[in-house]
Amino acid sequence: MSSIKTTLKAAKGALDAHQYDTAVEHATQILKEDPKNYHANVFLGLAFEKKGQNEDSEKAYKTAGSIKPTDPLAWQGLISLYEQQGARRLGDYHDAAIHLGNLFVETDDKTRCQTVIDKYTDFARKCGSRTQYRQSLEVLLPGNELYEYLEGRIPHPSHTYTRISEIIEQDEKEKINSEIGQRRTRLGAKIDQVTAEVKKEVLQGSALESLYQRVIDWTDDDTTRRTYEEKLLQHAYDTLLVLPSAQKATKREEVTRIAKGLVILKHPFALAWKIDLEWKDVERLEELDVGILREYIDFFSEDGLGKVLRGYLESEISVFPERVADQDGVQDEKSVPVMTAEDRLVLMTDGLENSSKSVLAHRIMGEYYLYLDEHESAAETARKAQRHVATESQTSGLSLANNFDAISILLGTALVHFQAPRHHPEARSLFESILERKPANASALIGLGLILEEQDELDKAIDFFERAIRQTPSTKIQAEAAWCRALSGDYPKGLEELESCLPYVQAPDLRTKALKAQILYRIGMCIWNLDHTKSSRRDRNKAYARFISALQTDVNFAPPYTMLGIYYADYAKDRARARKCFQKAFELSSSEFLAAERLAQSFAKTREWDLVEVVAQRVVESGRLRPAPGFKKQGISWPFAALGVVQLNTQDHVKSIVSFQSALRISPKDYYSWVGLGESYHNSGRYIAATKVLEQAQKLEQELGSEALGDTWFSRYMLANVQRELGEYDAATGGYREILGLRTNEYGVSISYLQTLIESAWRNLELGFFGRAIDSVQEALRIAEDVVTWSKDAFNLWKCISDLCSVYTYIQSYAKDFSTQDLKWLLEYGFDVETYSHLADVDRVDWSAFASTTASEDTAMILQSCLYAAILAQKRALVCCAHDPHARAMAWYNLGWIEHRTHVCDPGEEATCRNTPLRFLKAAIQCFKKAIELESGNAEFWNSLGIVTSRLNPRVAQHAFIRSLFLNGKNAKVWTNLGIFYLIEGDIQLANDSFARAQSVDPDHAQAWLGQGLLAAQLGELGEARNLFMHAVEISDASAIQIQQLYASSTLDHLLSSPTISDGAVGLLQLLLALRRLSKQSLTDLSSEHIHALFQERVGLCADASTTLLSICSTLEAEYETSESAETLERFAQAKADLSRSQLAEHDFDSAADNAETALALTEDLETSTMRAKTRLSAHLSAGLALYYQGSMDRSVQMFKDALEEKQGNPDIVCLLSQVLWAKGGEQGRSIAREQLFDCVEKHPRHVGTILLLGVIAVLDDDQDTIEAVSEDLRSLRTRDDLTPEQNKQLAELLDSISALYSGNEDGALARMSEATIAVMLGPSEPYGWSQIATLADEAYPADMAVLTAIGKVPPAGESCVEDLSEAYPRTKRAEDAQRSIMLAPWSPLGWQAFSQP
């Protein structure tokens, strides 16, 4: 025992000396001897603690504590150990501190107990988390043993509860924010939904409300108590908001109790007061406690609801008494002066904005807006109130049925009056739903009665009003019921009941006066309708007197002004007063539709369209025009129709379409609105829609009858205009004729008819229907003769006359149909002919010049008469528009173009007017300049100036084109003209750029492609140029003469240089049509005529070619006699040579020989001509062949010799000469023919014709040596690729003949078969070889192949003639093929022979 004590002392000494290892050894030694030694365990725990061995130390301390549970030393050591480890062991610290504190309680040591607890709570506050700190504070709460022992020494429970609640508040706030931040990132999460879910989870399990209640229960400070009562209410209210509906009832009772308590205590916490006010479900506002309302105003004067309540309590509609004095009769210090109505409205409006979710504020403001007749604002406010009631009901769980019904009545009442009857269906459904629950609700009965009254269901309306009167007697309702009786036709009873209401409306307030004025007005209306005679209505002691009395009672009551306006307009005949009355009525109320209509009509009569628009627009904006869906009453459409008419006059067609459509939705059978809509569609370019609309208008004409509609011709006129715009000229002219049959001298219709005929003529001209164009022009001339007799000064008339004259200049072959005498009569009708001398000093075209051209029947003079007449008509149009600058500019522009057209159509302008060269061109320049002076911003004027000055002044022309493009850069015509200008000036790059720009702006502009073709031709790219010309022709119209000319010439050049024409059969047909159109369009274009003749000759129309060439020769001969020009002589000689060739093809050998000799004689001296050689060659050959066929062999041979001499041994001529010499007969001639051919072969060894002729002559001469040599040459020729199908056929036929005659030891048939087989191998697509095999082998397959290959060689796929195909068919030996052969070539015997065989 002594050793243990000694060792304990040693251990104690070691601890004091900080020798902790030694202390551990001593303590361990003791415990080996006495394991339950308390002090040894304590020393061991302390030593381990100092060494940092916390687990061993804790174990030793706990062992010591278990040995002596009541000894505090071990627990103190354990607490010290936990303190050293910080917040990590705070939970164990909590248990140890509680245990140690209880030990001190047992020993009654308050000081040490308090020290332990204070030290623990302080340590938890500093080192622990909020939750650990809260646990440490809970030790100090009532109900804990330590609290009862240390009461008075530790903080008051209210303080502790406050600290704990603050900690939990912060924890919950952080948890809510953290959870929301995590969950909102989930897929498909919505922030509102996530927030509600998180708050529900946190607030439902929250302990804050119980803590707040503890603070309230324990605190002695009223301020703290009120603060935590606010927090308790706010937390309970927040919890209520997120709870499901099934759990709301209990929590709502709790919230209501807390809020009610705060209100009773008059504590100014806004939430409590608002809950108390907003959750009261009252049917009428007077059921609210006015004291609470006034206290709310006192506490929350700056709050939105407080402002609304203050304004309401001081307003005229307040159902509560004014606060004048307190209970002791002393004036309330808080009372303030009464506000003006304007200030009150501002206050309440501001309050409503600040209380945007208050149901009570919206309900009060809705009623106040109704009182002010601000029905739109009332309806808007009531709708918001409905949403807020629904929200409040959902969040609180209250039904709030009375509130909802009251707001619904408020909304329904506002909708009855706001833009009536637009919202009546909605209002009716609201009232009917209320009456289902509350059948005696007077407000709903009145509202439904007013709706039925508006819809003319007067009996039902009277019934509802009477039911309302039984519930709430009211003079206003009685008057409304009486008025319904009057409207139903019972004017006597209605008048009686209305007069009985007058004694009850004598109060001086404004509302009563307004009601009295209404009653007086309705009495006047009853009197007005009781007797419709003029004398009764003129009587100023009857209805008139009542209307005046109504205005004396309420000067701002609009309906009496309307009736007084009708009185003055229809009965007193005082239009000035009537207009003033209508204006006053309409100023006071936009719902006075009758006054508005009368005003609009009066303004329309004086063409004051801006005032008509103002009136109609205001009526439209009233929103009372359209009938409500499902109601029978007809809407009012005239304001929309009036707006449409105004917008038509201001050319705002998009808006006019909308206006007329709106009118038709209200009145689908409004005929004039259909016509107006059709006109609007027409003016805006929507012609298909316009057609449908106008056709509907015409259906209405038939349905309603002309008696109901009056004059209906305008719809037909507009339909004709639409058809004209759509290009349906026949239908349009038919419509105009029909109208003119009814209205003979209708200027607009006549001019439209005339313009349509001219447009039809131009369109037919573009399509190539020249006869139709002339028919339209002649009809237009007849109409013009009629119009000029009663409207001779119309600008459009003379414009049309000029256009119809211009048409003849584009179809010159019809010039003989031009009636110069009719035009002369037109131009001099009712007009001083001296006026036509305008600009005559430049163009020299006046009346005498025109008159001098009318006497001749010559086509050229008739065309000149057409041009002069067109110029004079434009000059007269210029005089007719002297006072209209825009029309005058257009007149100068039109005159300029006709001057330019005259310049273009007069090829002898320079020759015939040497003293005034280019007179028409200069006149055109002056005209365009004057047009630009009047309207410098017109791009077309500048473009025209550029065109006419291109020849005379290139700088001015370029400036004009650039200016035009500056004004309108997307005009393809100007870009094309600029390109042509650059092409003329030699700037290839700029020309190409301009044409490319024109093509990009408008790819269908043919002239741009024409310019590109000219550019390609200038650069030598003839193939590209021809393709461009062809494309231009395809997209151009028939009036584009230049395009057709260039296309024709380029195509003919291509044909002449190409060995075949089969690849472009469609193109050739297009070329033929183009040339025929050219022949009709221009009588002076001899080049095109000559090309036409050459093409006719090329395609085998030799008779037509001869006719054309004869005409050309006659014209050129007359021209040469006048001008004696070498160029004309050359063209005449060329035409004669071509004519000779065509006549030769027609077998007119005499004429052919004569014309050829004439051509040779004319070209004898034309040494410098480029065409001389070709012309003379053609003439020599034609003459030689013609003389040959005439039998004049010597002359024929001489012609060929001359040709051969001029062409220096041309092999083709040698062949022709040889054939003629051989045909002439005689050994000498034939010998010469052989010599010529042998010489030619030496010079031209590859010439096919020469070798063929040598072969034929050798066969005829039976010259086997020559045949052998020639045969080798012929076989070598067959392998050449440059042979034509005809040459191949000739080679095959010659070789076949040689094989048959000179086969040697071989069988002739086999030799021929061999040659036919070789022919097939060399040309499998050629029919000749197959035909030979079919003939020799007598088999079906070669015959069928011969037919198939022959079909592939006929046009358009090939160039074989029809005889080749006709010869192939009989070889099949089938009857149907024989018939085909006969059909193709009835003159061929082969088909007939095959058909006759069995």
Side-chain angles (χ1 to χ4, degrees):
M1 187 72 178
S2 61
S3 62
I4 292 176
K5 289 184 179 180
T6 303
T7 306
L8 284 173
K9 288 181 180 180
K12 179 70 169 58
L15 288 172
D16 292 340
H18 303 293
Q19 297 175 355
Y20 303 119
D21 292 334
T22 304
V24 170
E25 292 177 0
H26 291 316
T28 304
Q29 184 180 356
I30 295 171
L31 290 175
K32 287 180 180 179
E33 297 177 9
D34 185 7
K36 292 190 176 182
N37 190 296
Y38 176 77
H39 289 94
N41 279 290
V42 172
F43 290 160
L44 181 61
L46 181 59
F48 279 138
E49 179 185 351
K50 296 301 184 180
K51 290 180 66 177
Q53 297 177 352
N54 295 330
E55 294 181 0
D56 295 335
S57 175
E58 182 180 7
K59 183 177 179 181
Y61 281 140
K62 285 185 176 180
T63 302
S66 63
I67 296 172
K68 288 185 178 181
T70 60
D71 193 309
L73 183 61
W75 294 100
Q76 288 174 341
L78 193 60
I79 288 174
S80 175
L81 176 66
Y82 289 150
E83 283 182 351
Q84 292 179 12
Q85 297 182 53
R88 186 167 62 86
R89 303 302 299 275
L90 193 56
D92 297 326
Y93 189 178
H94 172 79
D95 297 336
I98 296 296
H99 187 79
L100 183 59
N102 288 329
L103 291 179
F104 288 138
V105 171
E106 292 175 0
T107 59
D108 195 21
D109 191 345
K110 291 185 177 182
T111 302
R112 296 180 68 184
C113 179
Q114 180 182 354
T115 302
V116 170
I117 297 303
D118 289 347
K119 186 177 180 182
Y120 164 59
T121 55
D122 187 59
F123 181 79
R125 180 181 60 81
K126 292 180 179 179
C127 299
S129 63
R130 285 195 295 269
T131 302
Q132 292 170 331
Y133 180 49
R134 186 188 71 195
Q135 290 176 349
S136 70
L137 291 176
E138 288 175 351
V139 176
L140 306 178
L141 293 176
N144 191 299
E145 184 179 353
L146 292 176
Y147 169 76
E148 296 175 357
Y149 180 70
L150 296 175
E151 187 176 6
R153 287 176 169 267
I154 58 176
H156 192 271
S158 64
H159 176 76
T160 305
Y161 280 122
T162 300
R163 298 287 80 76
I164 293 174
S165 65
E166 289 173 352
I167 292 170
I168 295 177
E169 284 176 1
Q170 191 168 0
D171 286 344
E172 289 185 355
K173 183 178 180 181
E174 290 181 356
K175 183 177 181 181
I176 289 172
N177 292 336
S178 175
E179 287 294 323
I180 291 174
Q182 292 177 4
R183 298 186 189 184
R184 69 183 299 179
T185 60
R186 295 176 182 174
L187 188 64
K190 297 180 180 179
I191 185 64
D192 295 338
Q193 184 179 356
V194 169
T195 302
E197 290 176 356
V198 171
K199 284 187 175 181
K200 176 185 175 183
E201 294 173 4
V202 174
L203 296 178
Q204 268 189 307
S206 175
L208 278 177
E209 291 185 23
S210 62
L211 289 172
Y212 291 154
Q213 190 62 50
R214 296 289 188 277
V215 174
I216 294 168
D217 294 341
W218 282 97
T219 187
D220 296 327
D221 184 12
D222 288 342
T223 303
T224 303
R225 182 178 291 108
R226 298 294 171 260
T227 301
Y228 276 86
E229 285 176 346
E230 292 178 5
K231 288 188 174 185
L232 176 61
L233 177 59
Q234 186 67 56
H235 193 278
Y237 181 74
D238 292 341
T239 305
L240 175 65
L241 295 182
V242 297
L243 285 176
S245 301
Q247 303 175 15
K248 285 183 181 291
T250 304
K251 181 61 68 175
R252 183 178 65 249
E253 292 177 1
E254 180 184 348
V255 170
T256 304
R257 176 182 57 76
I258 298 171
K260 188 66 177 175
L262 289 173
V263 171
I264 292 173
L265 294 173
K266 299 184 179 180
H267 178 63
F269 182 50
L271 178 61
W273 289 82
K274 288 182 178 180
I275 289 173
D276 187 59
L277 290 175
E278 301 285 355
W279 286 9
K280 284 186 177 177
D281 189 21
V282 296
E283 187 173 356
R284 296 182 301 276
L285 291 177
E286 52 262 36
E287 297 176 22
L288 295 172
D289 187 346
V290 67
I292 292 178
L293 298 180
R294 298 191 189 282
E295 288 171 355
Y296 186 91
I297 296 171
D298 294 338
F299 286 134
F300 310 105
S301 59
E302 296 302 319
D303 179 72
L305 179 58
K307 293 179 179 179
V308 173
L309 288 173
R310 180 188 169 191
Y312 171 71
L313 292 178
E314 294 184 11
S315 68
E316 304 88 338
I317 65 170
S318 174
V319 295
F320 302 108
E322 297 182 4
R323 181 169 64 177
V324 179
D326 59 13
Q327 293 179 352
D328 300 328
V330 180
Q331 182 71 29
D332 192 345
E333 295 179 357
K334 296 182 181 180
S335 61
V336 294
V338 178
M339 293 181 291
T340 63
E342 292 79 5
D343 293 339
R344 185 185 306 116
L345 180 60
V346 171
L347 177 69
M348 295 176 74
T349 305
D350 183 54
L352 184 65
E353 291 178 358
N354 295 334
S355 56
S356 58
K357 296 184 179 180
S358 171
V359 176
L360 181 59
H362 281 81
R363 181 174 173 181
I364 291 172
M365 280 303 298
E367 292 196 3
Y368 192 64
Y369 281 138
L370 272 184
Y371 169 76
L372 298 176
D373 291 334
E374 294 290 338
H375 301 114
E376 182 178 5
S377 299
E380 182 180 353
T381 305
R383 290 189 193 279
K384 291 181 180 178
Q386 278 187 327
R387 293 194 292 270
H388 297 328
V389 168
T391 303
E392 196 67 43
S393 177
Q394 182 180 2
T395 55
S396 67
L398 294 168
S399 65
L400 301 177
N402 289 328
N403 269 342
F404 192 83
D405 287 346
I407 292 171
S408 296
I409 291 173
L410 181 65
L411 175 59
T413 305
L415 293 177
V416 168
H417 301 284
F418 174 52
Q419 294 185 345
R422 178 179 178 181
H423 303 287
H424 282 186
E426 182 182 358
R428 185 170 187 169
S429 65
L430 290 172
F431 291 137
E432 288 175 347
S433 65
I434 292 170
L435 289 174
E436 288 177 0
R437 299 186 298 274
K438 302 174 181 179
N441 189 291
S443 299
L445 290 169
I446 295 170
L448 203 52
L450 291 172
I451 292 173
L452 293 170
E453 177 186 344
E454 180 68 25
Q455 299 305 319
D456 290 336
E457 299 182 28
L458 300 172
D459 294 337
K460 293 181 180 180
I462 293 170
D463 178 60
F464 278 101
F465 287 139
E466 289 177 346
R467 287 168 59 186
I469 291 171
R470 287 195 293 271
Q471 298 297 326
T472 307
S474 170
T475 303
K476 183 175 182 180
I477 302 174
Q478 291 175 351
E480 205 66 45
W483 179 239
C484 286
R485 285 192 177 88
L487 292 177
S488 64
D490 193 356
Y491 290 107
K493 189 172 182 181
L495 176 60
E496 180 183 351
E497 292 181 359
L498 284 169
E499 288 178 340
S500 66
C501 294
L502 279 178
Y504 302 100
V505 287
Q506 302 301 325
D509 61 283
L510 295 177
R511 286 282 168 179
T512 305
K513 285 186 174 181
L515 178 57
K516 182 179 179 181
Q518 185 186 60
I519 293 173
L520 287 169
Y521 161 74
R522 290 177 172 178
I523 290 172
M525 288 301 298
C526 289
I527 296 172
W528 182 273
N529 290 302
L530 275 173
D531 190 350
H532 295 276
T533 62
K534 288 187 177 181
S535 58
S536 175
R537 291 188 173 181
R538 280 202 193 112
D539 192 346
R540 296 201 170 200
N541 296 320
K542 292 186 177 181
Y544 175 85
R546 301 303 189 280
F547 297 144
I548 294 296
S549 298
L551 291 179
Q552 290 172 347
T553 304
D554 185 359
V555 72
N556 293 322
F557 188 48
Y561 286 108
T562 300
M563 294 309 300
L564 286 174
I566 295 174
Y567 171 82
Y568 286 124
D570 297 346
Y571 299 98
K573 305 301 180 183
D574 190 342
R575 293 184 179 179
R577 285 190 177 183
R579 175 176 281 198
K580 289 180 181 179
C581 289
F582 290 137
Q583 286 178 340
K584 184 64 176 179
F586 190 59
E587 287 174 7
L588 293 172
S589 174
S590 60
S591 300
E592 288 300 309
F593 301 142
L594 185 56
E597 185 175 9
R598 292 288 189 112
L599 273 179
Q601 289 174 350
S602 65
F603 291 143
K605 289 178 181 178
T606 57
R607 306 188 69 81
E608 299 176 77
W609 299 114
D610 52 342
L611 297 178
V612 175
E613 182 179 15
V614 169
V615 172
Q617 188 63 44
R618 188 173 179 221
V619 176
V620 169
E621 290 172 356
S622 70
R624 296 173 176 267
L625 301 180
R626 293 184 175 89
F631 284 78
K632 300 177 183 178
K633 190 172 182 179
Q634 181 68 33
I636 300 173
S637 62
W638 70 261
F640 290 106
L643 278 178
V645 172
V646 172
Q647 289 152 358
L648 268 180
N649 279 279
T650 58
Q651 298 183 359
D652 194 347
H653 305 304
V654 176
K655 289 184 178 179
S656 69
I657 289 172
V658 175
S659 298
F660 284 123
Q661 286 176 339
S662 301
L664 289 170
R665 290 190 188 101
I666 298 173
S667 301
K669 292 191 176 182
D670 185 354
Y671 169 78
Y672 293 102
S673 292
W674 282 108
V675 176
L677 180 59
E679 185 176 359
S680 301
Y681 277 136
H682 167 267
N683 293 342
S684 60
R686 299 167 64 179
Y687 302 121
I688 302 299
T691 302
K692 294 179 179 178
V693 167
L694 292 169
E695 287 175 351
Q696 177 64 28
Q698 292 189 342
K699 289 180 182 178
L700 283 177
E701 289 180 18
Q702 300 173 0
E703 188 177 326
L704 301 177
S706 58
E707 294 181 0
L709 298 176
D711 210 347
T712 59
W713 65 271
F714 189 73
S715 65
R716 304 178 201 175
Y717 170 65
M718 286 307 305
L719 182 58
N721 286 344
V722 172
Q723 292 165 339
R724 168 187 169 188
E725 295 293 346
L726 290 173
E728 300 174 3
Y729 297 114
D730 293 339
T733 52
Y736 292 134
R737 278 196 297 270
E738 182 182 355
I739 298 170
L740 289 174
L742 301 173
R743 302 176 66 88
T744 308
N745 293 337
E746 188 66 45
Y747 170 75
V749 180
S750 298
I751 290 298
S752 297
Y753 184 25
L754 186 59
Q755 291 173 332
T756 304
L757 289 169
I758 298 300
E759 290 174 10
S760 175
W762 287 118
R763 182 56 181 163
N764 285 320
L765 177 61
E766 292 173 358
L767 296 174
F769 301 138
F770 300 143
R772 295 182 185 178
I774 294 300
D775 291 341
S776 296
V777 167
Q778 290 176 346
E779 176 67 13
L781 182 59
R782 186 188 64 80
I783 297 299
E785 290 174 350
D786 180 56
V787 175
V788 77
T789 58
W790 46 271
S791 183
K792 59 183 177 61
D793 294 327
F795 169 79
N796 288 330
L797 169 65
W798 297 105
K799 169 67 168 59
C800 291
I801 293 173
S802 177
D803 287 344
L804 70 86
C805 294
S806 300
V807 170
Y808 283 99
T809 67
Y810 288 92
I811 322 173
Q812 296 179 4
S813 61
Y814 289 88
K816 60 183 181 300
D817 298 329
F818 181 73
S819 179
T820 55
Q821 297 304 317
D822 290 343
L823 256 297
K824 185 177 181 182
W825 178 84
L826 268 175
L827 291 171
E828 66 182 351
Y829 181 85
F831 197 73
D832 184 6
V833 294
E834 295 299 324
T835 308
Y836 289 127
S837 59
H838 192 69
L839 209 64
D841 56 332
V842 180
D843 60 11
R844 294 186 177 275
V845 177
D846 53 13
W847 180 255
S848 59
F850 168 70
S852 64
T853 63
T854 59
S856 175
E857 296 295 331
D858 181 61
T859 302
M861 292 301 294
I862 294 176
L863 286 175
Q864 191 173 22
S865 178
C866 289
L867 293 167
Y868 285 5
I871 292 174
L872 295 181
Q874 289 293 0
K875 290 182 178 181
R876 185 157 179 178
L878 188 62
V879 175
C880 293
C881 61
H883 302 292
D884 187 345
H886 175 70
R888 192 168 179 80
M890 290 304 301
W892 280 113
Y893 173 74
N894 295 333
L895 178 58
W897 273 121
I898 195 59
E899 295 278 7
H900 180 263
R901 179 62 184 167
T902 307
H903 163 73
V904 171
C905 293
D906 188 359
E909 179 182 352
E910 292 187 56
T912 56
C913 302
R914 300 184 185 277
N915 296 329
T916 55
L918 304 175
R919 53 185 176 132
F920 296 113
L921 190 62
K922 291 185 176 181
I925 293 173
Q926 288 195 19
C927 291
F928 290 135
K929 285 183 177 180
K930 289 182 180 294
I932 291 172
E933 289 175 3
L934 293 169
E935 195 173 328
S936 60
N938 193 309
E940 290 296 332
F941 294 175
W942 287 100
N943 175 49
S944 304
L945 181 62
I947 292 172
V948 297
T949 56
S950 297
R951 179 177 179 182
L952 299 179
N953 196 330
R955 291 186 178 182
V956 173
Q958 184 180 21
H959 169 74
F961 288 136
I962 298 300
R963 181 64 180 172
S964 178
L965 290 173
F966 173 77
L967 295 170
N968 181 12
K970 294 184 177 181
N971 193 328
K973 293 189 299 183
V974 184
W975 282 110
T976 303
N977 293 335
L978 183 61
I980 294 293
F981 171 79
Y982 286 136
L983 188 60
I984 294 171
E985 295 299 317
D987 196 327
I988 304 299
Q989 184 59 45
L990 287 178
N992 183 60
D993 294 343
S994 299
F995 292 138
R997 185 64 178 272
Q999 292 165 1
S1000 65
V1001 171
D1002 184 5
D1004 292 331
H1005 186 57
Q1007 279 71 17
W1009 297 96
L1010 173 67
Q1012 202 81 40
L1014 289 172
L1015 186 60
Q1018 185 167 341
L1019 295 175
E1021 300 175 2
L1022 300 180
E1024 179 68 16
R1026 185 179 66 259
N1027 292 333
L1028 289 169
F1029 292 148
M1030 181 180 296
H1031 180 67
V1033 167
E1034 290 172 351
I1035 63 176
S1036 68
D1037 53 59
S1039 62
I1041 296 177
Q1042 296 85 354
I1043 295 177
Q1044 296 180 67
Q1045 289 172 336
L1046 290 170
Y1047 168 66
S1049 61
S1050 64
T1051 304
L1052 188 62
D1053 290 342
H1054 173 64
L1055 293 176
L1056 295 175
S1057 62
S1058 174
T1060 65
I1061 61 171
S1062 59
D1063 295 337
V1066 176
L1068 295 179
L1069 178 61
Q1070 192 176 35
L1071 175 60
L1072 178 61
L1073 294 174
L1075 289 170
R1076 286 185 176 178
R1077 285 196 295 264
L1078 282 172
S1079 66
K1080 291 182 177 295
Q1081 288 180 272
S1082 178
L1083 298 179
T1084 59
D1085 187 7
L1086 297 181
S1087 298
S1088 299
E1089 285 290 301
H1090 203 156
I1091 292 174
H1092 188 195
L1094 293 176
F1095 178 76
Q1096 289 171 329
E1097 178 190 3
R1098 182 78 172 183
V1099 298
L1101 301 175
C1102 297
D1104 295 339
S1106 297
T1107 303
T1108 304
L1109 288 168
L1110 281 170
S1111 175
I1112 293 172
C1113 289
S1114 299
T1115 305
L1116 289 173
E1117 186 176 6
E1119 183 179 339
Y1120 179 75
E1121 289 176 357
T1122 304
S1123 63
E1124 296 184 358
S1125 168
E1127 181 183 356
T1128 304
L1129 180 61
E1130 179 186 355
R1131 293 171 62 189
F1132 178 64
Q1134 185 180 356
K1136 281 290 187 180
D1138 294 337
L1139 176 60
S1140 172
R1141 193 170 57 250
S1142 297
Q1143 290 171 338
L1144 178 64
E1146 289 186 273
H1147 298 175
D1148 186 1
F1149 305 122
D1150 294 337
S1151 300
D1154 291 341
N1155 287 317
E1157 291 173 352
T1158 302
L1160 290 171
L1162 292 173
T1163 56
E1164 189 71 34
D1165 299 328
L1166 295 176
E1167 299 293 340
T1168 60
S1169 172
T1170 57
M1171 293 297 295
R1172 178 181 182 277
K1174 290 183 178 181
T1175 302
R1176 289 184 64 79
L1177 174 62
S1178 175
H1180 274 119
L1181 295 178
S1182 299
L1185 290 173
L1187 292 171
Y1188 167 76
Y1189 286 113
Q1190 283 180 327
S1192 303
M1193 295 299 181
D1194 295 336
R1195 293 177 62 193
S1196 175
V1197 170
Q1198 186 59 43
M1199 285 294 179
F1200 286 123
K1201 287 182 178 180
D1202 293 342
L1204 189 62
E1205 181 181 351
E1206 290 190 9
K1207 292 302 290 182
Q1208 299 177 356
N1210 185 287
D1212 292 323
I1213 301 175
V1214 170
C1215 290
L1216 288 173
L1217 177 60
S1218 299
Q1219 292 178 59
V1220 172
L1221 289 172
W1222 190 271
K1224 180 181 178 183
E1227 188 58 33
Q1228 183 179 1
R1230 293 181 178 182
S1231 178
I1232 295 172
R1234 292 188 192 95
E1235 292 175 1
Q1236 291 286 341
L1237 289 172
F1238 280 120
D1239 291 341
C1240 185
V1241 167
E1242 290 179 3
K1243 295 178 182 177
H1244 306 283
R1246 295 179 61 82
H1247 190 261
V1248 178
T1250 306
I1251 298 174
L1252 280 172
L1253 281 177
L1254 281 175
V1256 171
I1257 290 174
V1259 171
L1260 294 174
D1261 289 343
D1262 195 17
D1263 187 352
Q1264 294 189 10
D1265 294 336
T1266 305
I1267 290 173
E1268 185 178 352
V1270 170
S1271 297
E1272 293 299 328
D1273 291 338
L1274 291 174
R1275 289 187 177 92
S1276 65
L1277 284 175
R1278 298 177 74 177
T1279 61
R1280 284 170 52 178
D1281 296 332
D1282 59 343
L1283 299 183
T1284 65
E1286 183 63 27
Q1287 288 173 334
N1288 276 320
K1289 181 180 178 182
Q1290 291 173 354
L1291 283 172
E1293 288 176 344
L1294 181 56
L1295 287 171
D1296 179 65
S1297 300
I1298 292 173
S1299 299
L1301 296 174
Y1302 305 100
S1303 57
N1305 297 326
E1306 296 182 10
D1307 185 7
L1310 291 176
R1312 293 180 66 191
M1313 179 64 74
S1314 175
E1315 290 297 336
T1317 305
I1318 293 172
V1320 171
M1321 293 294 294
L1322 293 174
S1325 62
E1326 298 296 331
Y1328 177 76
W1330 294 104
S1331 297
Q1332 285 297 99
I1333 294 176
T1335 302
L1336 295 172
D1338 195 20
E1339 294 181 1
Y1341 179 75
D1344 291 337
M1345 286 302 299
V1347 171
L1348 291 176
T1349 53
I1351 291 174
K1353 289 299 181 179
V1354 296
E1359 61 178 3
S1360 296
C1361 61
V1362 70
E1363 286 85 352
D1364 295 336
L1365 180 58
S1366 176
E1367 290 175 2
Y1369 272 119
R1371 290 187 173 88
T1372 63
K1373 298 182 179 180
R1374 291 193 289 266
E1376 59 270 23
D1377 286 339
Q1379 290 176 330
R1380 291 187 180 96
S1381 176
I1382 294 170
M1383 181 191 69
L1384 291 171
W1387 58 86
S1388 175
L1390 294 177
W1392 294 103
Q1393 292 172 2
F1395 188 67
S1396 64
Q1397 293 177 1

